[in-house]
Amino acid sequence: MERRNASESTGGRQSHSHHRRRKKPLYRRIRHWILKHKRQIAATVAVCVVAAGGVGLLIRHQLQKQESMQITAGNSHDVGNSYRELTYKGKKYCYNSLVRTILYAGIDEEDVLSESKQYGNKGRADSIALVVMDKQKQKITILPINRDTMTQVRRYSLNGNDNGLYTTHIGYAYAYGNGGKVSCENLMEAVSLLLGGITIGDYVVTSQASMPYINDLADGVTVTVPNNDLAEQYSELYQGNKVTLTDNNVTSYLQYRDTEETFSNEGRMERQKSFVTAFINQLKQMSTGTLDDKWDELGDMEDYLQTSITRNKYLDLVTLIKNLDFSEENYDSIPGKDQEGELHDEFIPDEEGLQEKIIELFYEEV
């Protein structure tokens, strides 16, 4: 019986043989094919290498670009020198270079503060205050900033791309970042923009879990309770009562508000004012040596604290706080009005009053 060998068929002709051709071993056939097509293989490999290298370079470029954006995200607002001089109502003013500022924010996070690669959906800044230390006027001023203040805030995509400035609640500035340095610097930028572009030196950001530690730094803060917001939950926290706060009630004292009640943040800010005023005055009464030792205690709350302040800066601040005057009258405010927003309460600063407050705190008439 005749069998056709397919390898002998050419051009449609059929070739017949009475003997079956013996096939070469597989490894020899592979070697033969490689030798025959080596130029084509080399070219293909070269194309693959170039393509892979191109994709690699592209990925590397994108990662470097992203890393750069993450590093500078919160500082993308270039303040420059435009804030150093201003003219208001025909008068010229220059920035007071003897002013030092620290931004404090309490974040609506119950536990550890940690950054992530994904941006957004982080805790909101519930309490915000700018500490203004003026060596020339020899005083400390605390400027609380309502978290519902409507101002320009920078937003980011989930992977950290800058989506520009939007008018929204200033408390969201931290939430739009990465939960770490970017969030802190984004909040600093929002406060800077609100206050005419002034520079902010450092930041201190804490979670709710830090409240007992902060209270312990002053060996228990003694306050005069300003309202009855917590009287039902804590029998001792009624208006006018003088109380030394403990681990059991300090977090509620500083963080609680009735979310069902309109503008309830105002009552919380009153309690925060009483706490901060007493806290600073109690620290001022401590010796410099005792205050120096407090730095080590900050290590106990490191998981609940984010700050740009180094030990050397802290030691300078201790001396500064001891030498500057502070009283309840120095706990200031931004003029404006509350209004109900579509989803949340809103605080609208009075533009003229805000500008005059900025000049009062940070400028001198030329």
Side-chain angles (χ1 to χ4, degrees):
M1 174 177 156
E2 293 183 344
R3 297 189 63 176
R4 179 166 58 90
N5 190 327
S7 65
E8 295 177 356
S9 300
T10 59
R13 294 181 299 167
Q14 294 183 355
S15 176
H16 301 278
S17 174
H18 293 284
H19 303 283
R20 182 183 301 173
R21 177 173 289 181
R22 186 176 181 181
K23 293 184 179 180
K24 297 177 180 179
L26 179 60
Y27 77 90
R28 293 185 65 184
R29 280 185 284 150
I30 294 173
R31 180 173 179 271
H32 175 74
W33 187 89
I34 291 174
L35 291 172
K36 183 178 179 180
H37 298 282
K38 63 181 180 180
R39 290 185 178 180
Q40 180 180 352
I41 293 171
T44 303
V45 171
V47 170
C48 290
V49 170
V50 172
V55 172
L57 287 173
L58 178 62
I59 292 174
R60 182 181 178 186
H61 173 72
Q62 289 298 324
L63 288 174
Q64 288 176 337
K65 180 181 178 183
Q66 179 63 29
E67 183 180 3
S68 175
M69 290 178 68
Q70 290 177 350
I71 290 173
T72 61
N75 281 331
S76 53
H77 168 56
D78 184 10
V79 176
N81 292 316
S82 60
Y83 72 95
R84 293 193 175 278
E85 295 181 356
L86 64 84
T87 300
Y88 182 68
K89 293 186 176 180
K91 296 181 179 180
K92 293 184 178 181
Y93 299 89
C94 66
Y95 187 77
N96 180 3
S97 60
L98 294 179
V99 165
R100 182 170 180 178
T101 53
I102 299 174
L103 179 65
Y104 170 78
I107 306 302
D108 187 15
E109 285 285 354
E110 295 182 359
D111 204 350
V112 175
L113 292 175
S114 60
E115 67 178 55
S116 65
K117 293 182 179 179
Q118 182 173 313
Y119 283 51
N121 199 31
K122 303 299 186 291
R124 185 179 176 185
D126 264 348
S127 56
I128 307 169
L130 188 66
V131 183
V132 183
M133 292 165 285
D134 190 338
K135 292 182 182 179
Q136 181 169 304
K137 296 179 182 178
Q138 287 290 299
K139 71 174 184 177
I140 299 172
T141 301
I142 306 294
L143 184 67
I145 299 171
N146 192 319
R147 72 167 196 168
D148 296 323
T149 301
M150 302 302 289
T151 189
Q152 288 189 306
V153 174
R154 192 171 301 278
R155 291 182 180 176
Y156 299 95
S157 66
L158 292 178
N159 62 359
N161 292 319
D162 187 340
N163 287 337
L165 295 169
Y166 296 80
T167 298
T168 186
H169 300 75
I170 198 169
Y172 283 123
Y174 185 93
Y176 292 149
N178 66 349
K181 183 179 180 181
V182 174
S183 285
C184 296
E185 292 183 348
N186 200 41
L187 181 58
M188 287 177 73
E189 180 191 31
V191 173
S192 172
L193 290 171
L194 174 67
L195 300 177
I198 65 160
T199 57
I200 297 175
D202 288 291
Y203 61 81
V204 176
V205 173
T206 64
S207 70
Q208 293 182 18
S210 72
M211 298 299 109
Y213 294 94
I214 294 175
N215 190 48
D216 288 344
L217 288 174
D219 300 326
V221 177
T222 301
V223 299
T224 300
V225 183
N227 54 50
N228 287 316
D229 290 352
L230 291 164
E232 291 186 11
Q233 295 96 318
Y234 301 91
S235 59
E236 73 277 15
L237 297 182
Y238 59 88
Q239 186 173 354
N241 193 30
K242 197 170 185 177
V243 178
T244 298
L245 297 173
T246 66
D247 290 356
N248 295 327
N249 57 20
V250 64
T251 301
S252 295
Y253 190 84
L254 293 172
Q255 294 294 129
Y256 172 80
R257 73 182 184 96
D258 186 352
T259 56
E260 300 298 321
E261 183 180 339
T262 305
F263 312 134
S264 59
N265 189 49
E266 297 292 340
R268 175 167 60 184
M269 290 181 69
E270 286 181 344
R271 297 194 306 276
Q272 290 169 352
K273 174 181 179 179
S274 67
F275 180 90
V276 172
T277 300
F279 179 81
I280 292 178
N281 283 328
Q282 287 179 220
L283 290 183
K284 285 176 63 64
Q285 293 173 11
M286 295 180 182
S287 68
T288 301
T290 299
L291 288 172
D292 288 351
D293 293 339
K294 294 293 180 181
W295 173 262
D296 295 329
E297 294 183 29
L298 292 174
D300 297 335
M301 56 181 287
E302 61 181 352
D303 289 337
Y304 318 116
L305 168 70
Q306 295 170 337
T307 183
S308 60
I309 297 176
T310 62
R311 179 175 176 81
N312 286 338
K313 285 184 179 180
Y314 171 80
L315 296 176
D316 288 341
L317 286 171
V318 165
T319 302
L320 192 58
I321 290 173
K322 290 284 291 181
N323 292 334
L324 299 182
D325 294 329
F326 178 75
S327 64
E328 187 173 346
E329 287 71 30
N330 294 353
Y331 198 97
D332 215 326
S333 63
I334 292 177
K337 63 179 181 179
D338 291 304
Q339 68 180 30
E340 293 188 43
E342 185 176 345
L343 297 175
H344 304 288
D345 296 340
E346 298 176 353
F347 179 79
I348 310 300
D350 177 79
E351 292 186 10
E352 184 173 339
L354 175 58
Q355 185 62 55
E356 291 174 355
K357 184 63 61 181
I358 291 170
I359 292 173
E360 175 189 338
L361 291 176
F362 306 106
Y363 289 86
E364 300 176 288
E365 187 175 352
V366 178

